[in-house]
Amino acid sequence: MSSTKTIGIIGGGQLGQMMAISAIYMGHKVITLDPASDCPSSRVSEVIAAPYDDVDALRQLADCCDVLTYEFENVDADGLDAVIKDGQLPQGTELLRISQNRIFEKDFLSNKAQVTVAPYKVVTSSLDLEDIDLSKNYVLKTATGGYDGHGQKVITSAEDLEEANALANSAECVLEEFVNFDLEISVIVSGNGKDVTVFPVQENIHRNNILSKTIVPARISDRLADRAKAIAVKIAEQLNLSGTLCVEMFATADDIIVNEIAPRPHNSGHYSIEACDFSQFDTHILGILGAPLPAINLHEPAVMLNILGQHVEAAERYVTENPSAHLHMYGKLEAKHNRKMGHVTLFSNEPDNVVEFGKGIDF
Ligand code: AMP
């Protein structure tokens, strides 16, 4: 059997592109399904240009690939089930279904993986909000379709209830207690169906609910860092994980609380391309192919800064002044406001001195 595979990636954005680059280094061929023929992956792979829910296009992709994967979780799981052959999607569609719906996700995390999540309840209408104890704060989140803070309402007083009731009556939701966290952190873990390998703990700083800066290692105690990694491994093992998964968590003074999982490489793991001996994309490809996984070492403390549409010029200036910073641009044709256009990774022991693009100017 040839060790060179044809890998089909659903989604040709920056995550798909960086997966494809890792796959190509390893000698594999990549075909991408994306609605846009000029998507970032088109620079490095063949593209089937069709909507994600086009079952004929999914079948065409499945027919010409040995292995399939996806770069984002909102893929049509039923459509995939209809076209994939046995074992062709090592990540499986169950993981997709779990991460597409916060109700399934919370149930999986708290009852199956048995990790700590914020106390929550399922909300099917505003009636479920009638008796909440307003001495506590909450976040109401729609079960499906939310991202980067969309479909969410923070409840800190009775005045917030009007909007919260409207959200609760528009869609199924989960109501979570608000966590007074010190830091937001995440852990990347990859599996090959048998074993897992785990990356260092990342500290994440968001602006307007969009990741702006990642600092590695996260500035938490070794004890909490070990706990965060153990939680990520526990979740991966419960899933018999194939490929890369990101576990997003909150760190308090003495605890780690899981917020959500993303069943794919994640923006907070981009630093691993230069700062680790294998990247989250390398281990994703190795994992979905069932290959042995390396232990991960961080070369040096690192910082990653996202470049949004409004930051492109500032980032270009930055790298001319800091030539040891690694610039990644994803090849997106239009620099829209808040669109992720690229990122920069640099090594630094003084993360507070690494200033986010646009800080104080344009967030
Ligand atoms: P999410 O879409 O679940 O990732 O939430 C987006 C952001 O909202 C997170 O990155 C946190 O900053 C904040 N957030 C979400 N859930 C909670 C919570 N239960 N307590 C406090 N902050 C939260």
Side-chain angles (χ1 to χ4, degrees):
M1 195 176 73
S2 163
S3 60
T4 301
K5 303 285 184 202
T6 301
I7 300 175
I9 303 180
I10 301 167
Q14 63 268 24
L15 298 176
Q17 185 199 58
M18 289 185 272
M19 281 181 198
I21 291 169
S22 283
I24 289 163
Y25 266 124
M26 296 176 203
H28 307 298
K29 180 182 170 187
V30 176
I31 305 176
T32 298
L33 174 72
D34 192 282
S37 57
D38 57 2
C39 61
S41 288
S42 68
R43 307 209 162 195
V44 291
S45 92
E46 216 175 278
V47 177
I48 298 172
Y52 296 124
D53 58 359
D54 180 335
V55 175
D56 289 336
L58 280 173
R59 184 170 291 111
Q60 187 192 341
L61 184 73
D63 284 348
C64 55
C65 292
D66 299 302
V67 177
L68 296 179
T69 184
Y70 45 78
E71 66 149 14
F72 68 111
E73 49 274 33
N74 285 320
V75 178
D76 175 7
D78 293 337
L80 263 179
D81 272 336
V83 304
I84 49 177
K85 300 169 204 95
D86 249 4
Q88 204 182 11
L89 181 75
Q91 292 155 285
T93 48
E94 194 47 32
L95 176 54
L96 273 180
R97 290 193 173 86
I98 291 171
S99 41
Q100 280 170 358
N101 185 315
R102 290 188 195 273
I103 299 173
F104 300 159
E105 184 179 49
K106 290 276 189 240
D107 178 54
F108 166 77
L109 290 169
S110 54
N111 298 322
K112 291 228 178 68
Q114 301 196 334
V115 297
T116 306
V117 299
Y120 75 98
K121 75 170 188 175
V122 175
V123 167
T124 53
S125 82
S126 57
L127 294 177
D128 295 319
L129 298 177
E130 271 179 1
D131 57 354
I132 61 170
D133 169 7
L134 283 172
S135 67
K136 294 179 183 162
N137 296 331
Y138 304 89
V139 189
L140 183 70
K141 303 178 178 177
T142 55
T144 60
Y147 66 96
D148 288 345
H150 295 268
Q152 296 193 9
K153 175 71 192 155
V154 174
I155 304 173
T156 59
S157 68
E159 283 85 80
D160 296 320
L161 278 178
E162 196 178 325
E163 248 181 78
N165 285 337
L167 190 61
N169 286 330
S170 71
E172 273 196 319
C173 293
V174 291
L175 180 74
E176 291 176 22
E177 276 186 26
F178 194 89
V179 179
N180 286 316
F181 54 79
D182 290 340
L183 292 179
E184 294 198 64
I185 59 169
S186 57
V187 177
I188 302 288
V189 58
S190 301
N192 61 9
K194 293 196 299 285
D195 306 312
V196 301
T197 192
V198 64
F199 286 72
V201 182
Q202 298 126 209
E203 173 182 333
N204 300 321
I205 296 167
H206 298 89
R207 305 280 166 201
N208 301 328
N209 281 313
I210 301 171
L211 183 67
S212 178
K213 179 174 180 178
T214 294
I215 298 167
V216 196
R219 292 169 291 180
I220 55 175
S221 67
D222 289 347
R223 187 183 66 82
L224 279 186
D226 288 346
R227 185 127 148 219
K229 285 166 99 172
I231 287 171
V233 167
K234 196 172 176 193
I235 292 170
E237 287 176 348
Q238 182 65 39
L239 290 164
N240 290 324
L241 181 69
S242 290
T244 289
L245 174 91
C246 179
V247 184
E248 295 182 61
M249 314 175 199
F250 302 125
T252 64
D254 56 3
D255 207 359
I256 302 287
I257 293 152
V258 177
N259 179 28
E260 61 181 0
I261 55 176
R264 51 169 170 79
H266 189 263
N267 194 170
S268 61
H270 290 356
Y271 74 94
S272 60
I273 295 174
E274 287 91 10
C276 294
D277 41 9
F278 289 81
S279 78
Q280 61 167 349
F281 302 101
D282 298 336
T283 54
H284 181 71
I285 299 298
L286 292 169
I288 60 170
L289 295 178
L293 292 170
I296 302 299
N297 295 298
L298 180 71
H299 299 309
E300 275 181 60
V303 178
M304 189 252 6
L305 302 176
N306 262 344
I307 304 169
L308 303 182
Q310 61 272 35
H311 302 152
V312 172
E313 282 172 20
E316 283 167 356
R317 271 198 310 278
Y318 183 84
V319 292
T320 54
E321 287 157 16
N322 299 276
S324 57
H326 295 269
L327 175 68
H328 293 246
M329 294 303 292
Y330 307 140
K332 294 184 184 176
L333 301 180
E334 216 186 324
K336 290 189 203 142
H337 190 82
N338 282 351
R339 188 179 199 198
K340 290 176 183 170
M341 300 299 291
H343 71 267
V344 157
T345 298
L346 51 136
F347 295 110
S348 174
N349 285 310
E350 296 178 328
D352 283 339
N353 292 339
V354 179
V355 180
E356 295 154 66
F357 297 121
K359 185 158 188 193
I361 311 166
D362 196 11
F363 276 118

